[in-house]
Amino acid sequence: MSDQAVDILWVLISAVLVAMMQPGFTALEAGATRTKNSISTAIKNVSDFLIAFTIFVSFGASIMLGSTLSGFFGWSPLFFYENSFSDLTLTLFHAMFASTAVTIISGAIAERTKYTSYLIIAVIVSIFIYPVQAHWIWNSDGWLAQLGFIDFAGSTVVHSVGGWAALAAILIIGPRLGRFETNGDGFDHSNLAYSALGVFLIWIGWIGFNGGSVLALNQQTLLVVLNTLLAGSIAGITGLIFSRLYTGYYQVIDIINGILAGLVAITASAHLASPISAIFIGILGYFAYFFGKKLLVRWRIDDALEAVPVHLFAGIAGTLAVPWLIAEGDFYEQLKVQIIGIAAVGLLSFITTYILLKIINRFYSLRVSETGEILGLNMSEHKASTAMFDLAKAMNKQAQDQDFSKKILVDPYSDASLIATYYNHVTEAFNQLSAEKEALIEESIYIANYDQLTGLAKRRLLVSELSRSIDRLHRQHQTNAILFLDLDGFKPVNDQYGHDAGDFLLKEIAARIQSVTRKTDLASRFGGDEFVILLDNIQTETYAAEVADKLINIIRQPVMLPQNIECSVNASIGLKIFDQSTTLSIDNILNQADKAMYEAKRRGKGQWVVA
């Protein structure tokens, strides 16, 4: 490159601009991945810059820029450039290109690749691939450079290399869980606003990427910058229009990736193209990207950020556009050279990456566990929580505990705050509904099992409890009893004073029955003025007789009706005692107690008889 101060300054400024592409890719990829993986994606972009820059300035520059060995491999002493102003500038400039090639891979294999696995991939590309093929093309003694292969700023050297390596990694690591279970539809993005910001940073960086590749500041530099911006703009507009026609919506991803695809495509020929040519190359770049992403979905190859269509497909398209822009020379000869270059770089990048990763994957899984992928790489790889993750964790705990009584608290200024607020409203309404439901169920159970007038059990509850009582006799020795009670003289009171008086009398009798029975006994209104009392686990048969006596004595006591009228009734009781030796059914026990009650009436009423 030139030793002129202005040229060196421009290349240094361009190196800084290219370095800005790294935070651009970080924002682009973090915003386009799911929230649970965004932090992991961002730190991988930071880390690959550390690795790629360190390796290139240490070894890569010696391989790429050093003295050639038959045009296939270069070498010069380590840090050979440190005493030359121009060589030092050129090395720093190319170091930024090396980091760009590596960072392309990050987005393609995002959301399921281990952090250490990605570091391994970055090392492989930085040492074994990028500087070797860059020597072939950008070192004047490289074999592809000698053939006349043209790649001005890296459509193939940088972008296709990243695309080929990403494709090899994708094929080994496999698709994300659930990726192709919804007819090829992708997952939600965490924040496409960050992705849009990232594209702007990348676009600004591309001014240095292409403009700095002139290695001088002159009129051609400005034309290169114009072509770069124009191709990106036209490609973005093409994505805007075509996505609206194709899907009915202005797809953000198509616009963003369209811009990038146009920039990738023009990079091979920005110094040759006219503004009109740049427009067509930008359109070509978008459709190469569009065709690539459709092809990958059809083949069920999961590229999380569509990096392969953007950088590989658009890079190939841009490289193949070069022969059409050469004013002098054999078109077909140049096309053949371009195809040879694309194939050579593709074979080196893809095969090297695939073989090395395949071997490594046999001994060390490149992919995170299924649990880690579901949980998200932010937590499983870095223990980096987010408000959304904390919210999901709290919601899951409530679901597991089935306890929604407490509100979920999150940072009121986080993205999860609104969701947490609505979720708390839902759980509050659910709790209220549940309480009302429980009250309604309890009321329904009570109505089904208890008499609304007297508060005593209904016949169905009596039968159920009697069945359980009989079942217990098979497991333990005890004695039970049934008292079948019918009021004597109730009908005259009901007929003479009305149903309200009769109802009042029944409630009073029910209260008296409960006053002489235990809490463990069950008193029921069997129907009309008939009552049945189940005495469970009585000490002796004498106890049942005592209860019968108490019932007759307390029931015959006068009752003061609401009309201030005094009345009295008696009770006839049939007593049936049964224990484990009894093999009678529920109906038999009740029928025998009923017959004993009628026997008590026949004997003169107001007494009890044992069945």
Side-chain angles (χ1 to χ4, degrees):
M1 63 172 288
S2 168
D3 288 328
Q4 295 294 320
V6 65
D7 295 332
I8 291 176
L9 178 60
W10 167 243
V11 175
L12 282 174
I13 292 173
S14 295
V16 173
L17 290 175
V18 176
M20 287 183 62
M21 296 175 73
Q22 200 69 25
F25 277 113
T26 302
L28 169 67
E29 295 177 17
T33 51
R34 287 172 287 181
T35 303
K36 65 180 182 179
N37 300 307
S38 59
I39 296 173
S40 172
T41 302
I43 196 61
K44 285 174 180 173
N45 275 270
V46 173
S47 302
D48 66 45
F49 179 81
L50 304 178
I51 291 172
F53 179 81
T54 301
I55 289 177
F56 186 83
V57 297
S58 301
F59 305 100
S62 296
I63 297 171
M64 174 186 170
L65 302 173
S67 300
T68 190
L69 301 175
S70 302
F72 288 93
F73 191 83
W75 187 254
S76 287
L78 299 182
F79 303 105
F80 69 93
Y81 50 82
E82 62 181 324
N83 295 319
S84 170
F85 197 3
S86 59
D87 287 347
L88 185 58
T89 302
L90 192 62
T91 299
L92 290 174
F93 182 62
H94 279 294
M96 302 308 160
F97 279 57
S99 66
T100 301
V102 174
T103 203
I104 290 168
I105 307 167
S106 171
I109 59 175
E111 303 198 314
R112 75 274 203 194
T113 308
K114 289 179 181 176
Y115 178 64
T116 50
S117 300
Y118 180 65
L119 300 183
I120 292 171
I121 295 170
V123 170
I124 290 173
V125 175
S126 298
I127 294 179
F128 300 108
I129 299 173
Y130 181 80
V132 174
Q133 57 86 39
H135 178 83
W136 296 351
I137 298 170
W138 282 346
N139 189 307
S140 60
D141 294 326
W143 71 275
L144 282 176
Q146 291 294 310
L147 279 180
F149 181 80
I150 297 175
D151 184 13
F152 173 64
S155 288
T156 292
V157 176
V158 177
H159 298 282
S160 289
V161 164
W164 283 117
L167 180 60
I170 291 170
L171 293 177
I172 293 173
I173 295 169
R176 293 166 289 174
L177 294 174
R179 171 62 179 90
F180 295 109
E181 295 176 5
T182 55
N183 298 320
D185 293 337
F187 296 113
D188 291 336
H189 310 286
S190 62
N191 193 330
L192 287 181
Y194 286 163
S195 296
L197 173 62
V199 167
F200 267 118
L201 291 174
I202 294 170
W203 204 348
I204 292 171
W206 227 294
I207 294 174
F209 200 90
N210 287 359
S213 294
V214 178
L215 301 181
L217 184 60
N218 51 39
Q219 185 176 349
Q220 186 184 31
T221 305
L222 298 181
L223 181 60
V224 165
V225 171
L226 173 63
N227 289 338
T228 300
L229 296 176
L230 189 56
S233 299
I234 291 299
I237 292 172
T238 304
L240 182 155
I241 296 172
F242 188 75
S243 67
R244 180 67 172 84
L245 296 174
Y246 188 77
T247 68
Y249 298 93
Y250 299 104
Q251 298 288 353
V252 175
I253 288 297
D254 273 45
I255 299 171
I256 286 175
N257 284 340
I259 294 170
L260 295 177
L263 293 170
V264 170
I266 194 63
T267 295
S269 59
H271 65 312
L272 298 174
S274 65
I276 295 295
S277 300
I279 290 175
F280 285 104
I281 291 174
I283 296 172
L284 173 67
Y286 172 80
F287 283 108
Y289 149 73
F290 183 81
F291 171 76
K293 75 171 182 176
K294 292 299 179 183
L295 199 61
L296 261 59
V297 171
R298 172 173 290 185
W299 289 344
R300 301 177 74 85
I301 298 174
D302 181 20
D303 182 344
L305 262 77
E306 300 178 348
V308 172
V310 168
H311 297 278
L312 176 56
F313 282 77
I316 292 174
T319 304
L320 291 177
V322 169
W324 274 266
L325 302 176
I326 297 178
E328 299 178 0
D330 189 333
F331 170 84
Y332 292 104
E333 182 65 24
Q334 185 64 48
L335 181 61
K336 182 181 74 172
V337 171
Q338 295 300 106
I339 293 173
I340 291 173
I342 291 170
V345 172
L347 289 172
L348 173 70
S349 304
F350 182 84
I351 293 176
T352 304
T353 305
Y354 189 87
I355 291 175
L356 292 178
L357 293 186
K358 194 73 173 178
I359 294 172
I360 293 170
N361 196 48
R362 288 181 62 87
F363 303 99
Y364 173 77
S365 177
L366 300 173
R367 185 172 184 144
V368 297
S369 66
E370 183 173 327
T371 301
E373 185 174 346
I374 294 172
L375 184 64
L377 273 62
N378 292 350
M379 281 298 297
S380 63
E381 288 277 282
H382 307 286
K383 295 298 180 185
S385 183
T386 63
M388 281 293 189
F389 176 81
D390 292 339
L391 173 61
K393 185 177 179 181
M395 291 167 64
N396 183 57
K397 186 176 187 306
Q398 285 194 342
Q400 291 179 339
D401 298 341
Q402 295 188 354
D403 179 11
F404 303 95
S405 58
K406 296 180 180 179
K407 290 185 176 181
I408 292 179
L409 301 178
V410 298
D411 182 354
Y413 301 104
S414 69
D415 292 341
S417 176
L418 184 61
I419 297 176
T421 300
Y422 283 126
Y423 175 79
N424 288 330
H425 289 334
V426 171
T427 55
E428 184 178 351
F430 173 79
N431 290 331
Q432 183 178 353
L433 183 62
S434 296
E436 293 174 355
K437 178 183 175 182
E438 290 295 329
L440 183 60
I441 291 174
E442 291 178 5
E443 182 180 356
S444 300
I445 293 173
Y446 183 84
I447 292 173
N449 292 293
Y450 291 91
D451 180 59
Q452 298 300 295
L453 178 64
T454 63
L456 301 182
K458 286 184 177 180
R459 182 183 299 196
R460 61 177 291 177
L461 181 57
L462 169 71
V463 171
S464 177
E465 290 301 317
L466 181 55
S467 175
R468 292 193 184 96
S469 179
I470 294 173
D471 289 341
R472 282 195 295 271
L473 294 178
H474 300 299
R475 301 191 301 271
Q476 59 191 49
H477 297 293
Q478 65 180 56
T479 301
N480 301 333
I482 281 287
L483 297 171
F484 203 116
L485 183 153
D486 184 76
L487 297 181
D488 300 321
F490 172 74
K491 188 175 184 303
V493 174
N494 194 61
D495 292 343
Q496 183 175 356
Y497 301 113
H499 293 297
D500 289 342
D503 290 346
F504 182 86
L505 178 58
L506 289 174
K507 288 192 287 186
E508 177 62 25
I509 296 302
R512 293 181 182 185
I513 290 173
Q514 289 179 309
S515 69
V516 299
T517 54
R518 302 169 300 177
K519 290 184 178 180
T520 55
D521 299 328
L522 179 67
S524 68
R525 185 183 178 193
F526 203 67
D529 58 346
E530 291 181 334
F531 301 86
V532 176
I533 300 97
L534 171 61
L535 305 178
D536 190 64
N537 193 18
I538 60 178
Q539 298 295 327
T540 64
E541 296 180 1
T542 303
Y543 175 76
E546 292 174 354
V547 173
D549 284 333
K550 289 179 181 179
L551 286 171
I552 288 174
N553 290 331
I554 197 169
I555 288 173
R556 67 161 51 106
Q557 299 298 319
V559 176
M560 186 64 68
L561 299 177
Q563 299 91 332
N564 203 25
I565 300 171
E566 184 179 282
C567 69
S568 61
V569 294
N570 285 322
S572 296
I573 299 175
L575 172 61
K576 173 61 182 177
I577 297 173
F578 57 99
D579 55 24
Q580 64 273 7
S581 62
T582 305
T583 57
L584 299 176
S585 66
I586 296 173
D587 290 339
N588 292 142
I589 292 173
L590 290 173
N591 286 336
Q592 289 187 22
D594 184 37
K595 289 178 181 179
M597 181 270 291
Y598 277 107
E599 178 61 24
K601 285 183 176 291
R602 191 185 66 79
R603 295 182 184 183
K605 302 179 181 180
Q607 57 186 292
W608 59 273
V609 173
V610 178

